[in-house]
Amino acid sequence: MHPKELVTSTFRQRFGKEPAFVALAPGRVNILGEHVDFNDGFVLPAAIDRATYIAFAPANSERSTLVAADFGEQASFTLASIPTKTNADGAPLAEWAYYPAGVAWALTEADLEVRAIDAVFASNVPQGSGLSSSASIEMAFAVAWQTLSAVEGSAVEGSAVDGAGWVLPPMQRALLGQKAENKYVGVNCGIMDQFASACGVSDKLLLLDCRSLEWQTLPVPEDVAIVIADTSVRRKLTDGEYNKRRQACEDAVKILSQHLPNVRALRDVSVDDFNRLSNQLPGVVEKRARHVVEEIERSRRAIPLLEQGKIREFGQIMNECHTSLRDLYEVSIPELNVMVEIAQSLPGCHGARLTGAGFGGCTANLVEKSVAEAFAAELARQYEAKTGLKPEIYICKASDGARLV
Ligand code: ADP
Ligand code: MG
């Protein structure tokens, strides 16, 4: 069943009423600019046409009741129980409930009203494969609570309701979602995931400057499809590896800034300066930082190519990105490399690379639309023959961001 129908029918069954609203928030795929967000670089994601859907209405008490329809589980919290990560009855919150509860917490911290909600949510964004199922849940609930803030009349006695409510621009909702994930859930993510889910634009890539948070759209040529290939390898406990890489980038900044006083982040180091000073850096630090410096330079080169519709040349830069993630940043695994190598050998494929954090998850491919189905079938066939694993392949469309439907 499509998640939109699932949330609507589950809502009726569970709450014995019609949902007042349905909202969705998409997952995202990053096309270029990997592992550069915390180095103040540029990222180039798109929201995709797979999303978390939420059916909701104001609750009749102070208690919010949330149903995760994909899990058949329920959580129930109040504004008082949220800070202790517990349900209203004192039992610990399920981990999935941290994402919506975290959004409620971040909204409250920002002095925005959080109405008690009856909600059912479900998603066709695969979990933990680098397409940001977590951010899509956060952005769906942010839209839901914004919507409820403006609903006339309150179920909670005595609360003042003027029907005006609060409205946040999508980027502000994204920042609150990131705060929820950083401070409440406890995951040290950058802004890209929530940004793409909140700010997505149909048929466009999104170019975000992670330092200034300025962003613009770039066109995806009409005859090009975004194909996502899930290796079906789930990333394991890799926090330690990410932290080591972040640390290496910080170490590089510390050393390079002794020679280049204006360097605050690797964003501020040109490739020429890096080459000149790279012998000052310990071997592993040099490799990690080189990936970041060159990846930021690649994204600068890529922007005019997209503007001019030069998709072949752009795809070549995606291929270079994969090589760098594999050999310099070292976040690839054999299954990702196999998926990328097969893709790059198939007709109609402009570019292929691992996407997201690495160590499992998905590859992103730009493919001629007219051969996308054949590409997907052949990629799946060859990948399974080589690895014995059954991949999922999604032919996607760049889509609008979180909204009521
Ligand atoms: P991703 O790369 O997909 O964002 P994360 O580890 O950040 O991976 O988030 C995955 C977590 O989000 C899951 O473990 C679960 O707690 C929550 N989640 C994702 N999708 C759903 C869903 N459909 N229903 C309930 N919880 C979900
Ligand atoms: Mg996530």
Side-chain angles (χ1 to χ4, degrees), residues 22-347:
V22 178
L24 73 76
R28 66 100 187 91
V29 61
N30 191 25
I31 301 297
L32 199 68
E34 208 65 86
H35 289 285
V36 299
D37 53 355
F38 59 89
N39 295 294
D40 283 356
F42 302 91
V43 293
L44 205 64
I48 58 175
D49 50 347
R50 303 181 76 88
T52 296
Y53 290 75
I54 174 173
F56 62 100
N60 290 320
S61 72
E62 288 178 7
R63 190 181 284 207
S64 288
T65 303
L66 273 47
V67 176
D70 294 323
F71 297 171
E73 288 184 21
Q74 179 174 313
S76 179
F77 52 69
T78 62
L79 290 181
S81 77
I82 284 174
T84 53
K85 295 188 175 155
T86 52
N87 286 284
D89 66 3
L93 280 180
E95 213 173 296
W96 60 261
Y98 283 17
Y99 299 93
V103 171
W105 170 82
L107 291 170
T108 309
E109 289 277 297
D111 283 331
L112 297 165
E113 186 201 20
V114 177
R115 282 270 200 104
I117 190 172
D118 289 334
V120 177
F121 73 98
S123 186
N124 56 11
V125 182
Q127 294 165 40
S129 56
L131 302 180
S132 284
S133 64
S134 61
S136 75
I137 294 173
E138 291 153 12
M139 292 303 95
F141 273 90
V143 167
W145 272 308
Q146 172 170 301
T147 305
L148 288 191
S149 81
V151 171
E152 284 282 355
S154 172
V156 184
E157 239 179 323
S159 68
V161 174
D162 58 13
W166 51 265
V167 177
L168 289 179
M171 181 61 99
Q172 294 303 316
R173 294 201 298 266
L175 286 165
L176 284 177
Q178 185 200 11
K179 182 174 175 184
E181 192 147 343
N182 289 169
K183 300 259 164 69
Y184 191 89
V185 183
V187 175
N188 203 3
C189 59
I191 185 63
M192 171 169 64
D193 302 354
Q194 291 81 6
F195 157 72
S197 183
C199 299
V201 179
S202 183
D203 298 324
K204 304 284 186 195
L205 299 181
L206 312 169
L207 172 65
L208 173 69
D209 178 334
C210 295
R211 173 171 280 172
S212 68
L213 297 187
E214 281 169 16
W215 66 278
Q216 65 175 92
T217 63
L218 289 167
V220 184
E222 228 164 78
D223 55 353
V224 171
I226 298 171
V227 180
I228 297 171
D230 191 337
T231 58
S232 79
V233 179
R234 289 290 161 269
R235 56 176 193 260
K236 304 185 186 78
L237 287 173
T238 44
D239 284 3
E241 291 301 318
Y242 299 132
N243 291 340
K244 273 192 238 164
R245 280 161 184 72
R246 281 183 90 130
Q247 187 59 49
C249 294
E250 283 170 29
D251 291 349
V253 169
K254 224 174 271 164
I255 296 168
L256 293 172
S257 62
Q258 290 165 11
H259 304 269
L260 305 163
N262 292 327
V263 167
R264 280 197 285 141
L266 287 176
R267 147 82 168 265
D268 304 312
V269 182
S270 70
V271 173
D272 284 347
D273 279 340
F274 188 83
N275 286 336
R276 190 164 53 79
L277 295 167
S278 61
N279 59 0
Q280 306 287 318
L281 303 175
V284 171
V285 171
E286 195 268 342
K287 272 164 89 173
R288 306 297 187 248
R290 179 176 292 283
H291 163 74
V292 172
V293 169
E294 292 182 350
E295 180 76 351
I296 292 171
E297 192 268 338
R298 273 191 287 276
S299 51
R300 290 188 207 272
R301 266 196 288 140
I303 296 161
L305 294 176
L306 274 179
E307 283 166 339
Q308 296 157 21
K310 292 185 176 162
I311 204 70
R312 282 238 172 87
E313 289 90 331
F314 179 83
Q316 199 53 44
I317 293 183
M318 288 175 68
N319 295 343
E320 288 170 26
C321 169
H322 182 78
T323 304
S324 178
L325 289 167
R326 183 189 68 199
D327 298 342
L328 296 177
Y329 213 65
E330 295 185 282
V331 291
S332 194
I333 56 169
E335 291 84 352
L336 284 165
N337 295 334
V338 166
M339 190 75 91
V340 164
E341 281 156 26
I342 299 167
Q344 289 174 350
S345 76
L346 292 177

